[in-house]
Amino acid sequence: MASNVLYSWCLGIFTVLAVVVGGATAAGYSSAPAGFQPTPWEQAFATFYGDESASETMSGACGYGNLFSTGYGTDTAALSTTLFKNGYGCGQCFQLRCVNSKWCNKGSPITTITATNLCPPNWSEDSNNGGWCNPPRSHFDMAKPAFMKIAQWTAGIVPVTYRRVACIRKGGIRFKFEGNGYWLLVYVMNIGGGGDVANMWVKGSKTNWISMSHNWGASYQAFATLGGQPLSFKITSYTSHQVLVANYVTPANWQAGMTYTANVNFH
């Protein structure tokens, strides 16, 4: 009897921490790759905004808020519309290096940034003369400290090569709550692997899985009565199509304004 109880307890703990990868027919995929793989190098340009403190990069279009407290720091960039993908580019990680410019730092070092903001089009300027983020250009408007890792800031704009890489995160995915017991708005942060979200579901202890709609940036919402229940989440990566299940992320008395951390993450 004791051995059976111990087995059931261990199985329950394993289920809480389970990550489901591949074969996710509920998410519309018949199969999925094992994890995010780097993409080929491509050409683009990079500028910077703000000063060395990166204070102007806070509270960007992805909704991450204070980038220091949410763990992204100053290694961030705003993406042009083409890369931002209506918010589905939020959280993605890129490697950049300055090339073919006298302003490149010695040795053309590589730096890694996270997409946290949108660089909007400037239709009053030509795409090759000020309208750097106009479609269909791929462009990175970097936090100044990040830009200074690859080039001298006096350049203003430099040519770069870039590629998508896996996001390396410490700890589990974080869910910042807004809303109330009848409308839940969740900002999803600290995502590893592809760093992004395509679809998201929430499940209370008294409900089945409820599909959440994309609100803006990295936020998803559900119009449902979820107050007074511990909540679980299911997430599909936008890029890798991996599916992750995070069971019982919150206690039953969860509150808006709080951030809850899962025990699982993409790789």
Side-chain angles (χ1 to χ4, degrees), residues 127-215:
S127 296
N128 296 310
N129 186 25
W132 309 121
C133 292
N134 296 350
R137 291 178 63 100
S138 295
H139 190 88
F140 297 87
D141 199 19
M142 305 171 69
K144 189 174 182 180
F147 184 89
M148 292 171 65
K149 290 182 177 182
I150 63 171
Q152 300 175 49
W153 68 268
T154 49
I157 181 171
V158 293
V160 297
T161 57
Y162 74 95
R163 67 174 180 172
R164 285 278 312 281
V165 294
C167 297
I168 308 301
R169 304 296 183 206
K170 294 181 179 179
I173 294 177
R174 299 172 190 164
F175 303 84
K176 181 181 177 181
F177 280 26
E178 299 294 343
N180 51 53
Y182 309 97
W183 171 65
L184 178 64
L185 179 68
V186 180
Y187 296 91
V188 195
M189 304 175 290
N190 200 52
I191 302 176
D196 47 27
V197 177
N199 303 104
M200 188 165 158
W201 296 261
V202 61
K203 183 181 184 300
S205 58
K206 302 175 185 178
T207 73
N208 294 318
W209 286 109
I210 299 169
S211 178
M212 304 182 75
S213 59
H214 184 214
N215 186 287

Side-chain angles (χ1 to χ4, degrees), residues 98-145:
C98 175
V99 295
N100 302 322
S101 172
K102 67 178 182 179
W103 302 108
C104 296
N105 289 342
K106 185 177 181 180
S108 293
I110 295 173
T111 192
T112 303
I113 58 91
T114 301
T116 59
N117 204 353
L118 168 68
C119 179
N122 182 359
W123 300 115
S124 64
E125 300 290 346
D126 183 87
S127 296
N128 296 310
N129 186 25
W132 309 121
C133 292
N134 296 350
R137 291 178 63 100
S138 295
H139 190 88
F140 297 87
D141 199 19
M142 305 171 69
K144 189 174 182 180

Side-chain angles (χ1 to χ4, degrees), residues 22-111:
T25 54
Y29 301 103
S30 58
S31 62
F36 181 81
Q37 301 298 318
T39 63
W41 289 93
E42 301 181 62
Q43 295 182 335
F45 285 85
T47 49
F48 68 88
Y49 68 116
D51 57 20
E52 285 85 346
S53 70
S55 59
E56 293 184 29
T57 69
M58 304 296 139
S59 302
C62 291
Y64 295 137
N66 186 307
L67 300 178
F68 293 108
S69 61
T70 52
Y72 295 107
T74 60
D75 290 328
T76 64
L79 303 183
S80 61
T81 304
T82 300
L83 295 173
F84 191 72
K85 299 182 179 68
N86 292 320
Y88 291 106
C90 288
Q92 294 179 350
C93 296
F94 297 84
Q95 285 185 337
L96 290 86
R97 68 188 309 169
C98 175
V99 295
N100 302 322
S101 172
K102 67 178 182 179
W103 302 108
C104 296
N105 289 342
K106 185 177 181 180
S108 293
I110 295 173
T111 192

